[in-house]
Amino acid sequence: MKCYYCDHELVRALSLVFVCLLLSLLSIKKVDASHQVYPEYQTLPAVKVKQLEHRTGYHFQPQKHWINGPMYYNGIYHLFYQHNPYGAVWGNIVWGHSVSMDLINWKALKPAIKPTKPYDKHGCWSGSATILPGNKPVILYTGVVDENQTQVQNYVLPANISDPYLEEWIKPDDNPLVVAEPGVNRTAFRDPTTAWMGRDGHWRILIGSRRKHTGIAYLYKSKDFIKWVKAKHPLHSKDRTGNWECPDFFPVAREGKKGLDNSMIEEQNVKFVLKVSLDTTRYDYYTVGKYFPEIDRYIPDNTSVDGWKGLRYDCGNFYASKSFFDASKNRRILWGWSNESDTKMDDVEKGWAGIQTIPRRIWLHPNGKQLLAWPIEEVESLRGHKVQLRNENMKKGDVVEIKGITAAQADVEVVFSFPSLDKAERLHPSLDHLDAHELCSRKGSSVHGGLGPFGLLTLASGKLDEYTPVFVRVFKAKNKHKILLCSDASSSSLKKGLYKPSFAGFLDVDLAKKKLSLRSLIDHSVVESFGAGGEVCITSRVYPALAVSDNAHLYAFNNGSETVAIETLDAWSMKGPKLMN
C-alpha cells in the first residue's frame, strides 16, 4: 500500500469528520454496560415497519432496523452509521452509508464497511475521517478482534477516489495500525478522532479509554499516518469519570459564529473544546480550555466542572456526538444520536430504533465559558404552513391552543415576556442543592408557582391526558435569579413500561428585559428544545398513546401567578425531506 507522508505546507482543511459511532443500545436509564447484547432479537426481522405513530417525519433514520451515528465528508455530506441490517437491536453491526447535499435530504447507499477481517471480525466500531494531502480521505475506525472485545484501530481507503459518493472502501493489508500497549485497557480503547497536524509535521489523534475509574484521551502521533506512537502522556484525563468514548477535540473562535477547522488547532487567538461521551452515565460532557501544542496538553478553564456535572451539549437524550467543520459555510456543526426510551421488544415490533437529532451549528458564547447551539438553517426549508400569535396574555391556569398546524410534526419559536420579577418564588434551602433534573421532577409544569411554570405543551392529547411540557420556571436564590428550563416526559404517555424522565438545565441569562425565548422541534416521538438562543438544549423521546398524528395538539400555558405574555409565537407545519436521486 502507498505510504502517505505529509508535508505541513500541503495540509488543507480537515473537513471530513466521522461522527462517533457509539455501540450503545442501552436506554439512558441503564448504566451497567455499553454494548448490551440481545441475541434473541438480533436477527428477528421487522416484517412491517410501523411509521404512522412514532416514526419521525423529518429526522434522519433508515427505513428500518437499528442505527446510532453520523458523519460528514468534504463537499458532500456523508452519514456513516452503525446499523444492524437484520434487526432492530444492537448486533450484526455494519457501517450503513447515506449521502446528502444539504444535511436534510438523503440518499441511502449500500453499507460501506463490514466485519470481514481478523482485526474486525467481531465488530467495526466507531471512527473518524481525515483528508490527507492530495485530497485523499482516510477513515480510522475501531475493530473488535475477539469475543473478549479486544479493540484495535484500523483504517480504510476509498476504492475509487473519483466517485463523489465514495461507495466502495477497501481495507489495506497493513491493518491494524494501532494496538494497545501494555498497561492500556484493551477492552476500553476506541473511537479515534479526526487527525490534526502539528507544526512539527506530525499527525495527532485521540483515542478514548480508561484506567480503573479515570477517563483518558490517549494521544498518538505519526509522521506518515501509518506508524503511530503513543505520546508519553494523555492529552487529558480526569479521575472518577469512567470510560471515555467518542472524544472530540476542536478549536473555536473567541468571537462570532464562524467555525474553525482542525488545521487551526495551533492558532493562538482561539479556545478549545474537549468533549467526551461517558460510558457509565450515558451522556456527553465538555470543557472549554487551552491547548498547549509544545507539550501536547489540554487544560480546561476553571469556569465549569471537569467531570460528571460538567457542561452538556444537550441535557436530554443525546449521546455519542461529534462535530465537524463545514468549509462551504464556515461553520462547525454538531451531530448527536438519540436512543429509544421504550423497551427492546417495542423496538422489534415497530421495526426500528434510534434517530439522529437535527444537526446544530455551535459556537462560543460571548461569555467565553460555554457553547451555544442552534438548528442548522437548512431545516427551515422544511417549513410549511405558518401560524402566528402576538401579544397574547396568559393568566394563571390559562392554556392557549396553537391551531392550524400539524402539531405532531412542527417547528415552534416563541418569546415570552412578563411585567415583573417580583413574584418569582424563593427557592427553599432544602431544594437549592438539587440539580436541574431533580428540581424539574419536583417542580413540574402542573405545580403552580410565581413566575412560571410557563411554556409549551407539546404532543398533547385533546383532554390533556398526555402531554410533554417544555417550560421555564424562575426562582429567587441567593441574591440572584435561577432560571430552570425543563422538558418533562413524565406525563407524555399512558403506556406502561416506558422511560419517562424529567430533563432540565439552568439558563444563565440577563432578565433585565424580562423576556425569555424558546424553540421546539417536534417530530412524533422526539422533542428538541432550545432555550435562550441555544444556551440550554434538551432532547426528549416520547411515545404517546393518544397524541399521535392528527390527534396531537400544541398548547402554550401558564401555571404561575404572574401574568405572562406570548409576545411573539411563530409555528410551522414541517414537511418531510425528499429522497435524493
Side-chain angles (χ1 to χ4, degrees):
M1 119 73 193
K2 183 178 179 180
C3 180
Y4 291 117
Y5 69 95
C6 303
D7 184 331
H8 183 66
E9 296 300 321
L10 295 176
V11 177
R12 65 173 183 80
L14 302 178
S15 59
L16 186 152
V17 178
F18 178 72
V19 181
C20 193
L21 300 180
L22 176 72
L23 291 179
S24 169
L25 195 55
L26 295 179
S27 299
I28 291 178
K29 61 182 179 292
K30 299 180 181 179
V31 296
D32 52 338
S34 66
H35 304 117
Q36 187 80 14
V37 177
Y38 298 86
E40 68 274 31
Y41 299 148
Q42 283 182 3
T43 57
L44 190 60
V47 177
K48 184 178 181 180
V49 176
K50 297 180 181 179
Q51 301 188 34
L52 299 180
E53 292 185 354
H54 301 130
R55 188 171 174 83
T56 60
Y58 60 94
H59 285 70
F60 177 86
Q61 59 185 134
Q63 183 180 3
K64 59 182 179 179
H65 298 147
W66 181 79
I67 68 137
N68 77 334
M71 166 184 157
Y72 169 77
Y73 166 67
N74 186 33
I76 292 178
Y77 298 97
H78 288 244
L79 202 57
F80 290 115
Y81 48 91
Q82 298 211 322
H83 175 55
N84 179 355
Y86 306 112
V89 300
W90 184 83
N92 312 303
I93 297 301
V94 304
W95 275 34
H97 187 191
S98 294
V99 292
S100 173
M101 300 300 294
D102 58 8
L103 292 168
I104 300 297
N105 303 289
W106 294 91
K107 177 182 178 66
L109 306 175
K110 63 183 179 182
I113 308 175
K114 298 179 180 180
T116 58
K117 300 290 185 178
Y119 48 77
D120 65 11
K121 67 180 180 180
H122 288 271
C124 299
W125 289 5
S126 55
S128 301
T130 302
I131 300 293
L132 299 182
N135 195 30
K136 299 173 182 177
V138 55
I139 290 178
L140 297 173
Y141 72 97
T142 297
V144 183
V145 175
D146 53 34
E147 293 180 352
N148 296 324
Q149 295 192 350
T150 299
Q151 295 151 31
V152 298
Q153 315 312 317
N154 308 312
Y155 76 114
V156 293
L157 301 169
N160 180 6
I161 196 68
S162 63
D163 175 11
Y165 291 166
L166 301 179
E167 291 194 60
E168 300 283 348
W169 294 80
I170 58 174
K171 301 175 182 178
D173 293 336
D174 50 355
N175 276 307
L177 294 186
V178 184
V179 177
E181 294 84 350
V184 174
N185 189 331
R186 295 181 301 168
T187 62
F189 183 64
R190 53 184 176 266
D191 311 340
T193 63
T194 297
W196 75 93
M197 180 175 280
R199 293 176 181 170
D200 58 1
H202 286 70
W203 290 100
R204 288 159 170 80
I205 59 170
L206 303 180
I207 298 174
S209 188
R210 68 176 173 87
R211 183 185 299 117
K212 294 185 178 180
H213 302 295
T214 297
I216 300 173
Y218 285 118
L219 178 70
Y220 281 77
K221 300 167 70 173
S222 175
K223 290 183 178 180
D224 59 8
F225 218 89
I226 299 300
K227 184 179 179 181
W228 292 87
V229 177
K230 185 167 73 70
K232 293 181 180 180
H233 53 74
L235 181 82
H236 188 58
S237 62
K238 184 61 181 177
D239 59 352
R240 292 177 294 191
T241 55
N243 189 40
W244 283 4
E245 300 186 302
C246 306
D248 192 16
F249 185 57
F250 56 91
V252 288
R254 290 179 179 267
E255 296 181 352
K257 296 183 179 182
K258 181 180 178 181
L260 302 175
D261 74 1
N262 283 25
S263 67
M264 303 287 290
I265 212 159
E266 293 197 10
E267 295 296 318
Q268 297 297 317
N269 194 33
V270 299
K271 284 202 168 188
F272 298 86
V273 173
L274 176 63
K275 187 280 310 181
V276 296
S277 299
L278 298 174
D279 195 9
T280 303
T281 63
R282 316 308 299 153
Y283 60 74
D284 298 351
Y285 91 91
Y286 72 92
T287 54
V288 177
K290 298 179 179 65
Y291 171 52
F292 297 91
E294 63 277 7
I295 58 173
D296 278 318
R297 288 279 196 178
Y298 168 76
I299 299 178
D301 294 344
N302 62 2
T303 53
S304 68
V305 174
D306 183 11
W308 283 10
K309 293 187 177 181
L311 297 168
R312 303 266 297 273
Y313 285 151
D314 189 299
C315 297
N317 187 337
F318 185 92
Y319 192 64
S321 64
K322 198 168 183 181
S323 67
F324 66 84
F325 174 68
D326 181 0
S328 66
K329 295 192 175 182
N330 286 323
R331 59 185 177 176
R332 182 160 288 272
I333 294 176
L334 176 71
W335 278 96
W337 169 62
S338 187
N339 196 10
E340 304 302 309
S341 295
D342 52 4
T343 68
K344 299 310 155 199
M345 197 60 225
D346 287 333
D347 293 342
V348 172
E349 289 179 354
K350 68 180 186 273
W352 51 270
I355 66 168
Q356 298 302 322
T357 57
I358 294 297
R360 304 170 184 180
R361 183 173 190 168
I362 56 174
W363 66 97
L364 190 65
H365 193 294
N367 65 20
K369 299 178 182 179
Q370 68 164 90
L371 298 179
L372 296 174
W374 197 250
I376 58 170
E377 60 186 352
E378 287 88 341
V379 75
E380 297 174 15
S381 67
L382 299 177
R383 287 173 171 175
H385 182 67
K386 179 181 179 181
V387 297
Q388 294 180 323
L389 288 178
R390 295 290 185 268
N391 300 316
E392 179 96 15
N393 287 326
M394 296 189 297
K395 297 180 180 180
K396 183 178 180 179
D398 282 352
V399 176
V400 178
E401 183 167 8
I402 292 87
K403 298 180 179 180
I405 61 167
T406 54
Q409 193 168 311
D411 182 2
V412 188
E413 294 193 56
V414 59
V415 175
F416 297 102
S417 61
F418 31 88
S420 172
L421 297 169
D422 293 343
K423 292 185 180 180
E425 60 192 295
R426 188 166 299 280
L427 188 62
H428 193 276
S430 64
L431 301 179
D432 191 44
H433 70 285
L434 297 180
D435 66 22
H437 304 300
E438 292 177 298
L439 189 57
C440 177
S441 66
R442 296 198 191 188
K443 293 282 190 176
S445 62
S446 61
V447 179
H448 291 186
L451 182 49
F454 60 84
L456 300 173
L457 303 178
T458 71
L459 295 172
S461 60
K463 295 182 180 180
L464 294 181
D465 296 309
E466 295 178 333
Y467 56 92
T468 299
V470 183
F471 64 93
V472 172
R473 198 174 194 123
V474 182
F475 297 93
K476 292 177 182 176
K478 296 181 180 179
N479 300 318
K480 66 176 184 179
H481 288 94
K482 204 167 190 175
I483 309 162
L484 183 71
L485 176 66
C486 296
S487 181
D488 186 1
S490 62
S491 56
S492 62
S493 180
L494 298 178
K495 292 182 178 181
K496 305 298 183 181
L498 301 177
Y499 177 48
K500 299 186 288 187
S502 301
F503 291 132
F506 291 112
L507 294 168
D508 184 16
V509 296
D510 185 1
L511 291 178
K513 295 183 178 180
K514 302 179 181 63
K515 295 181 182 182
L516 285 168
S517 66
L518 174 65
R519 182 179 183 183
S520 289
L521 297 172
I522 305 160
D523 197 2
H524 298 277
S525 64
V526 59
V527 181
E528 295 186 57
S529 298
F530 305 84
E535 188 172 285
V536 170
C537 309
I538 308 176
T539 298
S540 290
R541 299 301 309 278
V542 296
Y543 310 90
L546 303 176
V548 297
S549 301
D550 293 341
N551 294 319
H553 300 260
L554 174 66
Y555 302 93
F557 79 98
N558 177 28
N559 274 330
S561 58
E562 180 63 82
T563 297
V564 173
I566 302 172
E567 187 169 294
T568 64
L569 184 148
D570 299 286
W572 295 264
S573 295
M574 293 293 279
K575 299 173 288 187
K578 299 177 182 178
L579 296 178
M580 284 177 56
N581 295 324

